[in-house]
């Protein structure tokens, strides 16, 4: 522990209570018997991988998911002993770290399985792996029609245990008719592949497919485990009310999943000053005062998580009132219009998104992106404050 003596010019308040409540509503949807894998890749979508990992385990998560072996190392070095799955294809040079960290890689091909098996044999350590099947995402994973052969190759590797079989859905968050058909096809291919593995006398282990969109829209995608990311961080990738219930009749049996944003980005009014009618503000002079007014300067810019494209389009909240972000957002600071008779004081808190302000999904829609990118882009210089 060290005491923070510097001024927190901007901070990301992480509401762990909301995270845990989100976990509960997702569990209510998926059923208590389902395992939950919490994706904590990209520093837990910007929320802080270690803290979110700890909160997840306390809330009953079975395992964690990361993209890179280096991200898994952060968890292991931070004392996390829970199973950790590697969602992306690791490099063969990372095999020693996979083995020593007891990490669970996704396997797409026999070649990588054999390389793992050889090195696990040298260390005399039995390693769990999950077979990843590509049913339409066309990222990693073996072709669905090869899955039985690769599953049996893994089974023949003495130092590997086939602990699970997974796929990933490409359009599970869409309620477009064609996308629904595509998702149903993906799930059908996956079920067929899993059945073929079982029919060959191989235990597939934990079967899993559902990302956030599927948790909301496809109860038949839950299998043994779900992997909701953005939903746990408080954003609904899809809404139950948008889907024709005749397409997903099982949904009639469930209450809507209610989740709350976990991240709140705040800054403080570091300076207030009067400007005159016709004075311009910030780079590019994209905003000009229509009358004499006061502006406030916040120490939060695009390097802190307020997208540059939010300039002249977003508002922040101060003491429950809304103030527009004026002119270009710069790397480290932005300006807001406080009006001719400001009721704001210097050092008052300004909420940029989440909390009392509109959330990251609204900021995303104003700036042409998705909430994932908003929370991931909160730079590591922004302190995370866990409450
Ligand atoms: C990122 C990821 C998820 C979670 O996706 P969300 O859309 O955030 O729910 C699940 N599975 C895999 C393999 C992923 O890479």
């Amino acid at each position: 522990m060290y005491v923070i003596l510097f001024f927190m010019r901007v901070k990301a308040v992480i509401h762990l209570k909301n995270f845990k409540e989100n976990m509960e509503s997702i569990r209510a949807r998926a059923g208590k018997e389902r395992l939950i894998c919490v994706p904590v890749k990209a520093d837990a979508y910007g929320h802080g991988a270690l803290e979110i990992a700890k909160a997840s385990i306390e809330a009953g998560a079975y395992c964690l998911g990361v993209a890179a072996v280096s991200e898994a190392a952060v968890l292991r070095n931070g004392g996390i002993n829970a199973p950790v799955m590697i969602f992306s294809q690791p490099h063969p040079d990372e095999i020693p770290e996979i083995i020593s960290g007891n990490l669970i890689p996704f396997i797409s091909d026999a070649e990588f399985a054999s390389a793992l098996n050889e090195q696990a044999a040298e260390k005399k350590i039995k390693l769990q792996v999950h077979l990843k099947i590509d049913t339409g995402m066309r990222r990693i994973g073996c072709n669905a029609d090869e899955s039985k052969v690769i599953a049996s190759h893994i089974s023949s590797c003495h130092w590997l245990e086939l602990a699970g079989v997974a796929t990933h859905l490409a359009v599970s968050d869409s309620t477009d008719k064609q996308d629904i058909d595509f998702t149903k096809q993906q799930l059908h291919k996956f079920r067929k592949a899993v059945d073929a593995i079982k029919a060959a006398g191989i235990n597939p282990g934990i079967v899993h497919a559902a990302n956030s969109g599927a948790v909301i829209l496809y109860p038949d995608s839950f299998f043994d485990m779900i992997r909701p990311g953005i939903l746990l961080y408080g954003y609904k990738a899809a809404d139950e009310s948008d889907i024709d219930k005749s397409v997903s009749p099982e949904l009639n049996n469930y209450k809507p999943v209610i989740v709350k944003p976990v991240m709140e980005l705040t800054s403080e009014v570091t300076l207030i000053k009067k400007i005159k009618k016709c004075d311009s503000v910030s780079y590019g002079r994209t905003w000009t005062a229509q009358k004499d007014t006061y502006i406030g300067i916040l120490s939060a810019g695009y390097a802190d998580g307020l997208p540059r494209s939010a300039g002249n389009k977003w508002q922040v909240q101060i003491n429950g009132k809304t103030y527009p972000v004026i002119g270009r957002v710069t790397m480290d600071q932005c300006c807001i219009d406080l009006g001719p008779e400001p009721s704001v004081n210097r050092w008052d808190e300004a909420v940029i998104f989440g909390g009392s302000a509109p959330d990251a999904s609204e900021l995303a829609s104003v700036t042409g992106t998705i909430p994932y990118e908003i929370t991931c882009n909160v730079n590591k210089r922004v302190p995370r404050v866990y409450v």
Side-chain angles (χ1 to χ4, degrees):
M1 264 309 272
Y2 59 95
V3 181
I4 298 170
L5 292 171
F6 51 84
F7 163 65
M8 279 197 242
R9 44 186 292 283
V10 51
K11 59 180 188 275
V13 182
I14 306 299
H15 296 273
L16 290 174
K17 183 169 167 282
N18 290 0
F19 181 80
K20 289 183 175 174
E21 285 174 11
N22 294 347
M23 188 98 161
E24 280 320 303
S25 15
I26 291 168
R27 184 178 279 121
R29 165 59 57 94
K32 289 213 170 9
E33 68 282 13
R34 258 83 185 210
L35 302 176
I36 300 179
C37 167
V38 176
V40 294
K41 58 193 183 184
D43 203 25
Y45 295 40
H47 295 71
L50 207 48
E51 294 295 334
I52 293 293
K54 285 178 190 159
S56 301
I57 293 158
E58 277 168 30
Y62 166 71
C63 70
L64 306 159
V66 294
V69 174
S70 60
E71 292 181 307
V74 170
L75 299 177
R76 288 290 182 252
N77 293 337
I80 303 290
N81 298 315
V84 175
M85 295 199 305
I86 315 288
F87 288 160
S88 302
Q89 174 63 52
H91 190 275
D93 289 352
E94 294 175 306
I95 291 176
E97 230 183 311
I98 293 174
I99 295 171
S100 64
N102 193 23
L103 310 177
I104 305 175
F106 277 179
I107 301 290
S108 301
D109 65 304
E111 183 189 325
F112 193 75
S114 298
L116 270 175
N117 187 52
E118 269 171 39
Q119 294 197 36
E122 280 170 28
K123 291 272 182 322
K124 296 199 163 37
I125 289 173
K126 189 131 184 168
L127 196 68
Q128 290 197 342
V129 301
H130 286 208
L131 173 63
K132 181 77 187 290
I133 304 175
D134 174 18
T135 56
M137 179 69 182
R138 320 277 194 255
R139 229 166 41 176
I140 63 161
C142 64
N143 289 332
D145 55 7
E146 301 168 332
S147 49
K148 189 181 77 181
V149 173
I150 298 175
S152 76
H153 176 75
I154 294 169
S155 300
S156 73
C157 290
H158 181 72
W159 296 96
L160 300 185
E161 178 196 341
L162 180 64
V165 174
T167 194
H168 194 51
L169 303 168
V171 282
S172 64
D173 55 350
S174 167
T175 49
D176 179 278
K177 165 94 176 61
Q178 284 183 353
D179 291 339
I180 291 168
D181 288 346
F182 190 84
T183 303
K184 291 196 160 189
Q185 253 178 49
Q186 278 200 279
L187 290 170
H188 176 71
K189 271 193 200 166
F190 183 56
R191 221 172 273 115
K192 241 176 75 179
V194 172
D195 286 346
I197 290 167
K198 286 182 183 159
I202 301 165
N203 180 355
I206 300 166
V207 176
H208 51 114
N211 52 6
S212 295
V215 166
I216 306 262
L217 298 180
Y218 299 94
D220 60 341
S221 71
F222 296 167
F223 300 102
D224 302 320
M225 181 165 79
I226 58 170
R227 307 186 306 267
I230 199 71
L231 193 59
L232 279 163
Y233 300 110
Y235 296 98
K236 283 184 94 159
D239 205 295
E240 295 92 341
S241 58
D242 293 341
I243 199 167
D244 178 353
K245 294 279 163 62
S246 64
V247 171
S248 228
E250 314 93 307
L251 278 178
N252 289 310
N253 305 328
Y254 297 95
K255 284 188 288 188
V257 177
I258 293 168
V259 291
K260 292 188 202 139
V262 175
M263 185 188 286
E264 175 185 6
L265 190 70
T266 71
S267 183
E268 281 169 358
V269 181
T270 60
L271 186 67
I272 294 175
K273 65 180 165 195
K274 192 170 183 179
I275 65 167
K276 290 220 156 15
K277 181 176 168 175
C278 295
D279 283 351
S280 65
V281 167
S282 191
Y283 290 131
R285 307 184 60 210
T286 62
W287 190 88
T288 303
Q290 303 294 306
K291 53 178 186 277
D292 290 4
T293 188
Y294 285 84
I295 63 169
I297 318 302
L298 307 183
S299 278
Y302 60 78
D304 300 297
L306 178 63
R308 184 170 177 275
S309 53
N312 296 323
K313 285 190 194 158
W314 190 244
Q315 306 90 24
V316 300
Q317 289 274 320
I318 302 171
N319 304 323
K321 283 203 188 131
T322 299
Y323 298 92
V325 174
I326 54 172
R328 293 231 173 108
V329 172
T330 70
M331 186 186 289
D332 315 304
Q333 303 181 57
C334 68
C335 301
I336 54 177
D337 184 9
L338 300 175
E341 284 165 32
S343 55
V344 168
N345 295 308
R346 192 178 189 184
W347 310 115
D348 278 355
E349 182 183 78
V351 184
I352 296 168
F353 68 77
S356 60
D359 65 24
S361 94
E362 292 178 65
L363 179 54
S365 73
V366 164
T367 57
T369 183
I370 52 175
Y372 300 71
E373 196 177 29
I374 299 288
T375 64
C376 283
N377 277 352
V378 175
N379 194 277
K380 67 174 186 289
R381 80 174 176 193
V382 178
R384 271 63 174 173
V385 178
Y386 296 89
V387 297

